[in-house]
Amino acid sequence: MWRSCLRLWDEGRRLLNRPRGGLIASVGPGPNPRLQARAYAPLTGPGTEGAWNPGSLASRPLSLQVSWPSLLLPYHLGGGLREERKRFYQNVSITQGEGGFEINLDHRKLKTPQAKLFTVPSEALAIAVATEWDSQQDTIKFYTMHLTTLCNTSLDNPTQRNKDQLIRAAVKFLDTDTICYRVEEPETLVELQKNEWDPVIEWAEKRPFPFRYGVEIGSSTSIMGPSIPARTQEVLISHLASYNMWALQGIEFVVTQLKSMVLTLGLIDLRLTVEQAVLLSRLEEEYQIQKWGNIEWAHDYELQELRARTAAGALFVHLCSESTTVKHKLLRE
Amino acid sequence: MAALGSPARTLRGLLRELRYMNAATGRPYRDTAAYRYLVKAFRAHRVTSEKLCRAQHELHFQAATYLCLLRSIREHVALHQEFHGKGERSVEESAGLVGLKLPHQPGGKGWEP
């Protein structure tokens, strides 16, 4: 519990004053993109990233235009990554170009961090992104614009991964899937895990398509985790291969947020709502919260952020992998 | 299946979120592209003679996901403002916490410009 409290305690600000000690002793694992003095650190104000985001590929939006000495000044004297862009546009509108739909801020076209033109294939997605930009007041908070960052990642592909690598990265999560890891005690938690997670695993194993031949995803209490048979992985890989590149980025994003491949499949197949999936992913935390109490500025904060990211990812996958045709008189397919 | 509730409820929630978003910018929310698109989509897919229409369910699911997105972003920003948005205290304030006052040096400190 202390770790999660520390994780959210004034994350960026203190770190910037003490870069050396703060970086190691800091909050949460993983690289902190703000402190890497490269050109692509996110342009966010200090302390805005909230809880550590392992899917940080999608949330490193824009290039940094801060002079190097200002990184060394203490925060209250205007140092660190203080630059926050003000909202510089009045209207956001959508136009249709040849590659897809584009977003216009006033009269300027929106571009990705690598200066490519920002085009999306789906109108609904374009409207959602435009709404995100429109909802910014005074300063632009990039950490709230999840759909925009997902689109940027898909368009730019900053890590240069092709489809196979993406699929493999996502399938690797199955080995350490949250749902498959069970505890042995306390008893009530074991019961809870059994009642909540087992139905989802059963559904995943018996899904009519594509797991037609019955796949096995066991659950285990050992530290090594479940042993997933190779056939399951193959079936999963071939299933994921049927999605296009954009949808795969979204899927990988959701998997890294929820830490579970099975839950992501449930989301994509409309079996679970976002709230349910997030609840199942955080089952042990919810159990502890019920036992020991809820800390608003830590638990709720993390919960809302996880929900936001997961919802953005799920929506992104659905909008990128659908094709709507309205046929008047029944039949959609 | 997922407990989505009724589409009317989802639509109401979505309109409420749009209203909150546009209340701050001062523009009527009925003018936004999102409002028009949502209303059109809900109206178009309301009528279907199939008892279990997968397309309808899919669209409702997407709408519910978008609602979850808007709602959680709003709550997240509110929580951030309330708990994490205040920034660091200035040196004067920190000194004042323990009852001390900063010394006043007429010449300024050596390293200040």
Side-chain angles (χ1 to χ4, degrees):
Chain A
M1 194 181 95
W2 276 116
R3 218 174 296 129
S4 53
C5 297
L6 282 175
R7 202 189 305 151
L8 295 161
W9 177 53
D10 277 348
E11 220 183 353
R13 305 176 209 124
R14 314 276 163 171
L15 289 174
L16 290 165
N17 286 341
R18 296 184 291 270
R20 272 166 297 131
L23 187 54
I24 318 292
S26 86
V27 295
N32 194 328
R34 280 180 311 235
L35 295 174
Q36 296 166 17
R38 309 171 310 174
Y40 272 69
L43 187 67
T44 52
T48 50
E49 281 287 346
W52 176 55
N53 171 28
S56 50
L57 292 165
S59 62
R60 283 186 205 148
L62 304 190
S63 45
L64 188 60
Q65 295 144 25
V66 151
S67 64
W68 164 130
S70 74
L71 280 170
L72 303 176
L73 283 179
Y75 170 84
H76 62 274
L77 290 180
L81 300 169
R82 194 103 172 266
E83 320 269 324
E84 282 176 344
R85 298 205 66 181
K86 290 210 165 46
R87 178 172 172 151
F88 53 87
Y89 49 91
Q90 258 78 44
N91 302 316
V92 186
S93 56
I94 301 166
T95 47
Q96 186 162 12
E98 336 112 3
F101 293 87
E102 298 155 8
I103 319 274
N104 301 327
L105 304 174
D106 279 340
H107 56 91
R108 286 171 284 230
K109 289 199 186 291
L110 180 61
K111 300 235 167 68
T112 69
Q114 290 182 3
K116 293 193 197 137
L117 191 58
F118 187 96
T119 38
V120 285
S122 142
E123 187 189 1
L125 187 55
I127 295 185
V129 173
T131 316
E132 268 184 356
W133 281 90
D134 208 12
S135 65
Q136 307 296 323
Q137 312 142 22
D138 298 336
T139 53
I140 300 185
K141 301 186 171 69
F142 292 107
Y143 62 93
T144 56
M145 297 160 59
H146 300 113
L147 287 173
T148 311
T149 42
L150 275 169
C151 290
N152 282 336
T153 315
S154 301
L155 282 167
D156 282 345
N157 202 2
T159 45
Q160 306 278 329
R161 291 192 287 185
N162 62 16
K163 207 163 162 178
D164 289 321
Q165 289 168 320
L166 264 185
I167 295 182
R168 240 177 298 135
V171 170
K172 220 155 54 125
F173 261 90
L174 195 55
D175 288 330
T176 48
D177 205 306
T178 306
I179 289 208
C180 301
Y181 261 94
R182 304 298 167 89
V183 295
E184 285 169 5
E185 50 107 51
E187 278 296 321
T188 30
L189 184 54
V190 177
E191 275 295 312
L192 193 62
Q193 285 184 340
K194 200 160 63 111
N195 294 336
E196 302 288 336
W197 285 348
D198 276 348
V200 183
I201 293 196
E202 242 183 74
W203 166 83
E205 291 180 346
K206 295 189 180 45
R207 264 172 80 224
F209 175 78
F211 295 155
R212 200 164 300 157
Y213 307 105
V215 206
E216 287 163 16
I217 308 170
S219 62
S220 103
T221 53
S222 81
I223 198 171
M224 297 304 289
S227 53
I228 309 284
R231 240 195 95 252
T232 309
Q233 294 198 350
E234 282 163 20
V235 173
L236 191 54
I237 290 180
S238 56
H239 173 61
L240 287 178
S242 67
Y243 288 96
N244 63 37
M245 194 62 182
W246 282 53
L248 276 177
Q249 296 273 11
I251 291 177
E252 205 245 350
F253 182 62
V254 178
V255 170
T256 36
Q257 293 306 312
L258 290 178
K259 318 284 191 299
S260 162
M261 188 71 213
V262 179
L263 287 177
T264 313
L265 288 174
L267 254 188
I268 298 174
D269 274 343
L270 320 184
R271 163 79 170 71
L272 302 164
T273 60
V274 175
E275 287 94 347
Q276 285 172 340
V278 165
L279 176 71
L280 289 177
S281 172
R282 282 170 43 109
L283 196 62
E284 184 172 351
E285 275 194 54
E286 298 290 328
Y287 170 78
Q288 303 289 1
I289 288 175
Q290 274 182 4
K291 198 163 176 207
W292 300 105
N294 184 31
I295 297 183
E296 205 183 349
W297 51 265
H299 291 131
D300 276 350
Y301 189 78
E302 268 186 16
L303 174 68
Q304 298 300 338
E305 187 172 23
L306 188 60
R307 267 193 194 164
R309 292 191 211 253
T310 315
L315 191 64
F316 189 75
V317 172
H318 285 131
L319 289 178
C320 288
S321 54
E322 71 171 8
S323 54
T324 42
T325 47
V326 181
K327 291 208 176 89
H328 296 281
K329 275 306 175 186
L330 306 169
L331 278 202
R332 180 179 170 260
E333 259 113 34
Chain B
M1 274 295 132
L4 277 182
S6 80
R9 206 159 175 221
T10 319
L11 180 61
R12 260 216 310 271
L14 277 165
L15 295 185
R16 188 181 295 149
E17 294 298 327
L18 283 180
R19 212 165 9 125
Y20 288 148
M21 260 201 295
N22 285 297
T25 52
R27 245 172 321 117
Y29 70 102
R30 290 176 199 272
D31 284 345
T32 50
Y35 175 83
R36 289 192 293 259
Y37 181 85
L38 282 170
V39 165
K40 199 173 70 165
F42 267 85
R43 249 183 228 148
H45 291 92
R46 190 180 46 195
V47 180
T48 161
S49 46
E50 293 182 22
K51 285 222 176 18
L52 189 67
C53 178
R54 189 159 184 255
Q56 208 182 30
H57 180 62
E58 259 184 45
L59 282 159
H60 186 203
F61 188 87
Q62 285 175 19
T65 308
Y66 190 48
L67 173 62
C68 178
L69 176 67
L70 291 178
R71 208 182 261 160
S72 44
I73 287 183
R74 182 169 53 89
E75 309 245 346
H76 179 234
V77 168
L79 280 172
H80 186 82
Q81 283 303 110
E82 195 180 334
F83 293 113
H84 302 283
K86 299 256 178 10
E88 235 179 52
R89 291 194 192 89
S90 69
V91 182
E92 285 84 7
E93 281 175 30
S94 321
L97 276 182
V98 288
L100 299 171
K101 280 209 292 203
L102 288 182
H104 170 66
Q105 288 168 314
K109 293 180 207 159
W111 61 87
E112 268 177 7

